[in-house]
Amino acid sequence: EDSMRALQRLKEMAKDHTHKRYPNLPEGAVSAPKYTDKTANGLTKCIIDYIRFSGGYATRINTTGQMRQGKWVKGTTSKGTADIHACLIGVHYSIEVKIGKDRLSEYQKDTQRKVESAGGIYMIARNFEGFVDHFSHPNQ
């Protein structure tokens, strides 16, 4: 139920954001996007939108390579880089999205140590409610 409350709050934030960007839209014309935290992609979208609607900067980091002209080209991102990089009120956040029993790799643990020793916050997000809770109270 708490997760549903957090997702409902995110929908309200999305509507408010749209109203601010397009103030002449009639009230009923604004529908909130569908949000879910049951998949890695869904949870990533929830987190990025939440941070952006809170006045911060957030972007998804694609660490995999890609196909170019029929050949696989390895990605240039460092191994262990978190899924989301964000900044809010001068604080850097590296956020690793983990669904189910997925655990941090040794590369990710190393990245966590580096981010934290540089003064940033490293978070593991397993669901949206837990993320919002930790994001609102990072030192608990």
Side-chain angles (χ1 to χ4, degrees):
E1 184 192 313
D2 283 341
S3 182
M4 292 308 291
R5 217 175 335 191
L7 290 169
Q8 186 57 42
R9 173 74 189 113
L10 179 59
K11 285 181 184 180
E12 290 166 18
M13 291 171 78
K15 281 184 171 182
D16 289 347
H17 178 75
T18 302
H19 276 301
K20 285 181 185 130
R21 285 187 66 192
Y22 308 103
N24 295 331
L25 274 179
E27 186 71 34
V30 178
S31 63
K34 296 205 182 329
Y35 287 111
T36 179
D37 63 354
K38 302 294 182 223
T39 65
N41 283 337
L43 179 53
T44 298
K45 179 173 175 30
C46 289
I47 291 169
I48 287 174
D49 282 0
Y50 183 83
I51 293 169
R52 288 178 178 167
F53 299 155
S54 300
Y57 164 80
T59 189
R60 178 184 198 137
I61 305 295
N62 183 354
T63 57
T64 59
Q66 54 187 281
M67 287 297 279
R68 285 209 184 129
Q69 298 170 340
K71 292 183 182 166
W72 182 256
V73 179
K74 211 174 95 168
T76 57
T77 310
S78 301
K79 282 187 178 181
T81 298
D83 297 310
I84 300 169
H85 283 190
C87 186
L88 181 65
I89 315 171
V91 177
H92 168 84
Y93 294 85
S94 284
I95 304 160
E96 183 61 36
V97 173
K98 294 289 184 192
I99 296 291
K101 295 184 191 244
D102 200 6
R103 298 283 177 249
L104 290 184
S105 71
E106 287 307 312
Y107 289 111
Q108 290 167 332
K109 289 176 185 175
D110 187 49
T111 297
Q112 178 176 8
R113 284 188 288 273
K114 288 174 180 173
V115 167
E116 290 173 347
S117 69
I121 295 175
Y122 189 97
M123 298 171 65
I124 302 159
R126 298 192 172 279
N127 58 57
F128 187 61
E129 171 72 18
F131 164 77
V132 170
D133 222 37
H134 190 202
F135 192 74
S136 302
H137 311 94
N139 296 323
Q140 290 184 358

